Amino acid sequence: MDELLEQFLIEGPEQVQQAGEALLALEGRPDDAALIDQAFRAIHTLKGSVGLFDLPAMGRVLHVAEDLLGAWRDGRQALSRGAMDALIAATGQTERWLGALAATGGGLPADADAVAADLVGRLSRALDSDAPPSAAVQATHIDTAWIEALFRDRGLDPARYPTVTALRYVPDAGCYFRGEDPIAFARAVPDLLALRITRRDAAAPAAAGAYDAYACDLVVELLSAAAPETVKGPFRFVPDQIQLLSWSPPPPPSAPVPPPALAEGPRSLRVEAGRIDALAQLVDELVVAKNALSDLAGQMADGLAPQAAVQILGDRQATLDRLVGRLHRTVMGIRLVPILPLLRRFSRVVRETATALGKEVDLAVDGQDVQVDKAIVEGLFEPLTHLLRNAVDHGIEPAAERAAAGKPTRALIRLVARREGDHVVIDVADDGRGMDPARIRRVAAARGLLPDRMLDALADDQVLDLVFRPGFSTAEAVTDLSGRGVGMDAVRAAVGRLGGSVGISSASGQGTTVRLVLPLNLVLTKVMVVAVAGERYGIPMDGIVETARVDPDRVRPIRAGRAFVLRDTAVPLLSLAALLGLPEEARVDGGPCRAVVARAGGDLVAVEVGAFVGRRDVVLRPLTGLLSAMPGLLGTTLLGDGHVLMVLDVPGLIAAATGDTAPMGQGAL
Amino acid sequence: MTVEVAGNVIHLRGACAAEDAETLLSRLQTAPESEIDVTACRHLHGAIVQVLLAFRPNVRGMTEDIFLRDWVIPNLAAHR
């Protein structure tokens, strides 16, 4: 992908977001000139950037959006609901297009032209309907004298050029300030036959003292042998300033571009220069430390006493340790980004969903100063989108029902992020009707998620947790918006992949709160390394309650399984070898049974392992490709000796092995 | 430096951008008899072109840029 496009893909989304935020805020404060200005500037900059690439559909939409905002800014037009909807739709579409560009490396989807035409239509209607009828919007009078003059000037024989495209471009006075260069536009016209550049008022001599070089007074007239569509290309952002005439039959419309294959776009990150300097400095220090080791190796070769060597080696190792630690912290710092921009993006999601459902919903966002790992920010968009759509669709009652219940008709959803220790907690709280445990029980029973007696045994708050199970959906009618075949189970899985967990609480009539708890950074995970059947595996420490050595005599067989009593609680004992499908190894007689006690769902479970090897801080790599669908596996990591360590998701493993009959959530560790 | 003054001659070099129009304008205002040399010029921004059109200095030199040579420069010389 070329550099310009890469840069654009970084800045574009930021500008879309600025525009979107300003537009949403304008709904509440339609007279705020600063907001109109912010939206205008963002759209304007975007339009300018889009002009650098071959993205005519996007350019057209942004151009009309800019016109509309310009009309507001200059007070030529009042804010209307229809116009606002059209503008918000335009920013939303632009954002989707930017996503498509990032995924394909430079192509818009095949339907872009049709979508753009629709948006341009909506925006133009908004622009026309509210504007006072302007005098000369439609230039019906076509003056062709200049074309004949061009033919004469260049000595062209009209008979030799029966089909030419003539274009007259009168840039407005402020065009230089928008970065437009009429000469560059003319340069981009193919198959030029004639070009005349004059001043608008050629007769008036420039007053020597007061000539303004930056108030454009040029008139550009040209003839080209190319088709009008091609000639118009360079002028696509100034359609109101050109007059285009063709003496040729209109060419057939070009064939639609086939949809480009989607690929994962490169990810990029903006970093403060100071942080990079700090990194560079650390690397310098690392080089020094490395040299000190070579030095030591030399001394040892020269017969340094082993005792002294050990001492020096210890010192140098401590230095390296300290440097590597600092390096790691610095890199982690670079990966931390504020979460607020992500949360703000959802204003539009909520608004779009609410509008589509005919509800009035406000989103209150808070998360000042909360920073999380970039990977987490990226991974949260999908699940949060789903949760918010769900809240608007299922959580919030229709306005009439709210009024009857004595609530304000405008509903409120709060999306709040805050930091708690090493974790970030994100709440999605609506003030809707709340969830009905009885109804969830009925649905769960109807879907056969759990045997009846287990359902009866569950407390109400545990029943709510059932919505996260695959195959559960309480919506009786699958709506277009939230019923897209992704349920809450997908949310739990997505959050689990980020190393987080999801919980839900609800008060009937007062609303529902979904709480996501995520680690601040993804990268270092504490794992316990265990051995089973001669293989080593990692188990995340934060899922482990304790490790236990149990006397074999205390393990009692219970039906097909085994259990033991741990401080007055019966804990089922499962064999890790069996869960992994490995051959059981015979325990050395008399030796204790080693088990890792973990929490799965709400219950304790012990998993028998062959041996505890130790603890490690590891960089967990998420699984990709086919492996990512594998239940029970969180990721892999590289050990110091070059071995790959598989890190297990114990609750997921248990759920998969027991045919998903026990009430435990995948990825809850 | 794309606008360079050498005695009576103003050399326009490389791609002349909008910012250069100010320099060119003030030079033409102080020395209206200056000649413009476009030999080393690659592009002329609209703001430059309009200053040249407004003050009509003598333009000389043959630029290698075909677009400027064939289409733009003739406009600057046409009505002298």
Side-chain angles (χ1 to χ4, degrees), chain A residues 18 34 152 166 177 193 217 311 352 430 546 590:
Chain A
Q18 276 176 16
R152 268 201 314 279
F177 295 102
L193 295 173
D217 64 357
Q311 170 114 34
E352 278 174 2
D430 67 58
E546 62 182 290

Side-chain angles (χ1 to χ4, degrees), chain A residues 310-518:
Chain A
V310 165
Q311 170 114 34
I312 299 174
L313 193 59
D315 284 354
R316 311 243 149 120
Q317 191 265 335
T319 311
L320 268 177
D321 217 34
R322 182 176 54 82
L323 282 174
V324 169
R326 267 171 59 197
L327 190 61
H328 187 252
R329 278 194 301 280
T330 313
V331 173
M332 287 304 101
I334 287 176
R335 292 182 55 99
L336 286 186
V337 295
I339 199 170
L340 204 54
L342 169 79
L343 301 187
R344 288 215 180 111
R345 286 172 70 186
F346 291 108
S347 302
R348 195 166 62 234
V349 171
V350 168
R351 190 187 184 283
E352 278 174 2
T353 315
T355 309
L357 293 167
K359 295 180 182 177
E360 302 227 321
V361 185
D362 287 325
L363 181 72
V365 166
D366 193 16
Q368 200 68 45
D369 301 331
V370 178
Q371 294 203 327
V372 292
D373 193 282
K374 184 171 165 53
I376 291 183
V377 167
E378 283 166 359
L380 273 178
F381 186 72
E382 288 281 320
L384 281 179
T385 305
H386 187 75
L387 286 176
L388 285 164
R389 284 201 171 129
N390 239 2
V392 175
D393 194 0
H394 306 313
I396 304 291
E397 318 88 323
E401 195 180 323
R402 289 182 68 88
K407 293 184 182 181
T409 48
R410 271 194 94 82
L412 179 70
I413 298 179
R414 282 181 304 114
L415 177 60
V416 180
R418 62 177 185 282
R419 198 178 152 169
E420 278 184 7
D422 276 349
H423 287 84
V424 58
V425 178
I426 301 173
D427 282 346
V428 181
D430 67 58
D431 64 350
R433 58 168 80 96
M435 290 162 73
D436 179 4
R439 188 155 150 253
I440 293 171
R441 276 182 210 275
R442 278 202 306 278
V443 175
R447 307 266 151 96
L449 287 182
L450 279 183
D452 285 353
R453 62 191 160 73
M454 283 183 81
L455 266 180
D456 293 342
L458 287 179
D460 277 357
D461 54 335
Q462 287 175 311
V463 167
L464 296 186
D465 206 61
L466 290 175
V467 299
F468 292 112
R469 312 229 10 194
F472 188 95
S473 169
T474 49
E476 263 124 37
V478 172
T479 65
D480 176 40
L481 288 154
S482 50
R484 285 180 182 160
V486 224
M488 296 287 268
D489 58 319
V491 172
R492 174 163 276 180
V495 173
R497 273 198 296 278
L498 298 172
S501 60
V502 190
I504 194 164
S505 64
S506 179
S508 185
Q510 288 169 34
T512 304
T513 299
V514 178
R515 172 165 296 181
L516 315 186
V517 180
L518 293 147

Side-chain angles (χ1 to χ4, degrees), chain A residues 5 15-16 45 54 57 60 172 251 257 267 278 284 286 288 292 373 421 435 452-453 469 487 530 535 574 604 617 651:
Chain A
L5 185 59
Q15 281 145 4
V16 172
T45 314
D54 186 25
R60 282 196 298 276
D172 70 34
V257 188
R267 305 184 319 159
D284 287 347
L286 270 177
V288 173
D373 193 282
M435 290 162 73
D452 285 353
R453 62 191 160 73
R469 312 229 10 194
V530 300
E535 297 276 347
L574 304 170
L604 290 180
D617 285 346

Side-chain angles (χ1 to χ4, degrees), chain A residues 256-303:
Chain A
V257 188
L262 285 170
E264 191 155 322
R267 305 184 319 159
S268 55
L269 180 63
R270 289 178 130 186
V271 180
E272 253 175 77
R275 288 177 161 180
I276 296 291
D277 293 345
L279 265 183
Q281 203 183 336
L282 273 172
V283 170
D284 287 347
E285 288 183 45
L286 270 177
V287 171
V288 173
K290 185 213 75 173
N291 290 343
L293 279 183
S294 332
D295 193 39
L296 178 65
Q299 284 180 305
M300 285 171 79
D302 290 346

Side-chain angles (χ1 to χ4, degrees), chain A residues 143 145-147 150 165-171 196 198-200 219-223 231 235 238-245:
Chain A
D143 172 17
W146 59 274
I147 302 177
L150 275 178
T165 303
L167 184 140
R168 188 164 200 264
Y169 169 38
V170 185
R196 192 161 75 163
T198 49
R199 289 171 62 219
R200 207 170 301 173
V219 177
V220 176
E221 294 160 339
L222 59 89
L223 297 180
V231 174
F235 301 91
V238 289
D240 50 330
Q241 295 161 27
I242 60 167
Q243 187 185 352
L244 186 71
L245 290 173

Side-chain angles (χ1 to χ4, degrees), chain B:
Chain B
M1 184 69 183
T2 52
V3 177
E4 209 173 281
V5 180
N8 199 28
V9 182
I10 303 172
H11 292 272
L12 297 182
R13 297 186 192 282
C16 297
E19 302 84 76
D20 299 317
E22 196 61 59
T23 323
L24 177 66
L25 176 63
S26 63
R27 182 64 197 168
L28 282 175
Q29 279 168 340
T30 43
E33 289 312 305
S34 296
E35 286 200 328
I36 308 293
D37 187 311
V38 292
T39 311
C41 187
R42 293 282 167 277
H43 181 71
L44 290 171
H45 188 275
I48 306 262
V49 169
Q50 79 177 50
V51 170
L52 294 176
L53 284 174
F55 289 84
R56 296 243 164 246
N58 208 357
V59 176
R60 67 177 205 194
M62 194 67 100
T63 160
E64 278 175 37
D65 185 278
I66 295 165
F67 173 76
L68 287 185
R69 189 189 66 200
D70 291 358
W71 303 108
V72 179
I73 309 289
N75 279 287
L76 303 178
H79 304 285
R80 270 200 74 83

